[in-house]
Amino acid sequence: MKRPTHHVVDMAWNAWGDPAERHALDEDTRQLIAQTLGIGGAAPARVPAEEVALRPSALPREARAALAAVVGEEHVRTDAPARLRHLGGKSTPDLLRRRAGEAGEAPDAVLTPADHEQVRSVLDACARQGVAVVPFGGGTSVVGGVEPFRGPFPAVVSLDLRRLDALVALDTESGTATLQAGLRTPEAEELLGAEGFTLGHFPQSYEFATIGGYAATRSSGQFSAGYGRFDAMVTALKVATPRGTLELSRGPATAAGPDLRQLFLGSEGTLGVITEVTVRVHRTPEERIEESWSFPSFTEGAAAVRELAQRQLLPTSIRVSDETETFINAVIAGGAAPEGCLSVVGFEGTGAQVAARRSAVAEVLAAHGAVKVAADSAAAWRRSRFSAPYLRDALLDAGVLAETLETVTSWSGLHALRTAVTGALTRELAREGFDPVVYCHLSHAYHSGASLYFTVAADGGADPAARWGAAKRAAGDAIAAAGGSITHHHAVGMDHRPWMEAEIGPLGVEVLAAVKQTLDPAGILNPGKLIPAGS
């Protein structure tokens, strides 16, 4: 086993990311935003950690002793800093609660097991003691996926997998790597890069998310057009459940019945805890190139991407911003916005592969009216792709309600879905003559459809959490009515659970509940997530 030499820092307990990277808006920008959105004033100051009132840990003495016997006393933490860091994920409602000093749902303890066997023993102890368990990786969930909800149990523990941080094996001949679930992506890239390989998975949460989290949520990175979604990269899983261990490996393909790996890819810690993931890896590319193109309209941009997908000509990455997003991103970057809709296109591989694919892609883009624009547009996107969540915190400081949501549908339903979601968000967040800013980009493409990623900014008002809750419900209903999926890569968690029955049907819900009953008969694993209530 090999472990990284550099470890990722913990995220701030009440904001996104590295506390040292906190952003702030200059006064001119604050004034412009206030005038555009009708902001009445800045948000209240954040409550300092030392002023947050945590209720005492409710972990029973017998349960604590049993868990300490498994992981060691020093790895059963009930101190305030540890509990605050595990309050949940990083959605806007999460951050609003923490800014207000609300910590009623803090876990009663934070456990840090050392290996698979300790994870397995923790689950056994919690099942016997009646303690809920919430698996925790990077804490980047924006859908309530790691909320320390105790459900019917008297106590809940956060199971932090940070000590499972090794490269277990690298099979250079097969092009696969076995990684422990607690590895943060930069740590995995360090270990793989030393051997000349890359994972090729770069979502916006890249800096803090974990390998196990990607598998448990069916993550999709910004280069998934070239490298594939994370679930498509997985070749084997090792999973701890209250009933025992599952080691699921089928090689590159099989016809031996249903693929049980699919039960755990996207299971969000409700069926078991993923402790090892074997994934497809790639040789570090010789060449990386990003270009910017501008389409006359979003419709033309989407048509071009559809043709690329259906002709199997997709580059390593491609996204198309609508007119509003194109303008706003240019303003944020301090440059002039190109006409129409910006598309950033990336290529990776050998020099010959990149040259051939660039030529083929350029021919399709030009046929749909696209023109190449200054290279600094692509560079600006590259610089900002991991910093957008920091900007959200700065906007919240200024009294702006800022959030994102995503969906996916068929090509034939794409534009109707975009219109429906934009309309729902606008209607719910419009106020006193001021409309919210709602914009969108096509983020991921497939043969039969594509994902749409929406960003919203509006006046937070007196109760921004309630405003966003109403807008999110309206958007979710619009997505379901238009035939889209409630989530493409953010997962289900607690936030999307109300739409799961519409997504998979009543019988599908029964199937999930039956699997959970088999693997987790006591129901201790991540209560309140994924599977609709009452099933």
Side-chain angles (χ1 to χ4, degrees), residues 133-151:
V133 181
V134 177
F136 193 96
T140 62
S141 172
V142 292
V143 293
V146 292
E147 187 79 11
F149 180 63
R150 67 194 64 228

Side-chain angles (χ1 to χ4, degrees), residues 89-325:
K90 298 295 184 182
S91 70
T92 291
D94 291 332
L95 300 183
L96 290 170
R97 286 193 295 271
R98 284 173 220 167
R99 285 163 172 260
E102 297 177 17
E105 289 298 323
D108 296 294
V110 177
L111 311 182
T112 49
D115 54 30
H116 173 87
E117 290 307 320
Q118 285 193 5
V119 172
R120 172 70 190 90
S121 296
V122 162
L123 299 186
D124 183 61
C126 286
R128 284 187 283 103
Q129 297 290 334
V131 174
V133 181
V134 177
F136 193 96
T140 62
S141 172
V142 292
V143 293
V146 292
E147 187 79 11
F149 180 63
R150 67 194 64 228
F153 302 98
V156 58
V157 297
S158 181
L159 188 66
D160 190 321
L161 301 180
R162 67 179 60 217
R163 295 173 68 200
L164 279 70
D165 64 349
L167 168 61
V168 178
L170 176 64
D171 183 341
T172 59
E173 187 174 2
S174 301
T176 61
T178 300
L179 305 165
Q180 287 189 319
L183 265 175
R184 310 289 180 96
T185 337
E187 298 164 354
E189 285 296 319
E190 176 200 326
L191 294 168
L192 293 171
E195 305 295 332
F197 286 84
T198 181
L199 190 61
H201 193 68
F202 301 100
Q204 196 168 61
S205 60
Y206 162 85
E207 296 170 297
F208 303 99
T210 62
I211 299 300
Y214 290 146
T217 59
R218 292 186 180 271
S219 174
S220 190
Q222 292 168 340
F223 293 168
S224 292
Y227 292 107
R229 289 170 56 94
F230 195 83
D231 51 357
M233 298 163 59
V234 173
T235 63
L237 293 170
K238 188 172 185 178
V239 186
T241 81
R243 291 284 308 280
T245 293
L246 284 164
E247 296 193 56
L248 305 171
S249 177
R250 298 293 188 101
T254 180
D259 187 349
L260 294 183
R261 289 172 302 186
Q262 298 301 322
L263 281 175
F264 296 94
L265 293 169
S267 63
E268 302 183 35
T270 62
L271 305 179
V273 179
I274 296 169
T275 60
E276 285 184 10
V277 185
T278 302
V279 289
R280 188 176 64 220
V281 292
H282 308 267
R283 290 285 179 184
T284 303
E286 296 175 7
E287 193 167 358
R288 291 185 171 103
I289 291 177
E290 284 168 345
E291 306 176 334
S292 296
W293 292 74
S294 181
F295 287 97
S297 69
F298 187 78
T299 300
E300 285 290 345
V305 177
R306 176 176 58 82
E307 182 174 342
L308 291 172
Q310 293 179 345
R311 290 178 57 187
Q312 298 184 323
L313 290 176
L314 283 171
T316 308
S317 63
I318 187 166
R319 60 186 276 157
V320 180
S321 297
D322 68 10
E323 292 85 351
T324 304
E325 181 171 281

Side-chain angles (χ1 to χ4, degrees), residues 329-392:
N329 285 345
V331 170
I332 292 172
E339 294 291 330
C341 297
L342 181 69
S343 176
V344 178
V345 186
F347 303 89
E348 295 191 0
T350 66
Q353 288 171 335
V354 167
R357 186 54 59 101
R358 283 182 77 190
S359 176
V361 169
E363 182 179 335
V364 173
L365 300 186
H368 287 271
V371 294
K372 193 176 291 188
V373 296
D376 59 355
S377 296
W381 173 78
R382 184 171 58 250
R383 289 191 302 269
S384 67
R385 64 186 179 189
F386 299 134
S387 65
Y390 290 98
L391 176 60
R392 177 184 55 167

Side-chain angles (χ1 to χ4, degrees), residues 68-92:
V70 173
V71 300
E73 183 65 37
E74 69 274 26
H75 297 296
V76 181
R77 295 186 57 179
T78 56
D79 58 284
R83 294 173 70 196
L84 285 177
R85 284 197 300 271
H86 293 78
L87 278 171
K90 298 295 184 182
S91 70
T92 291

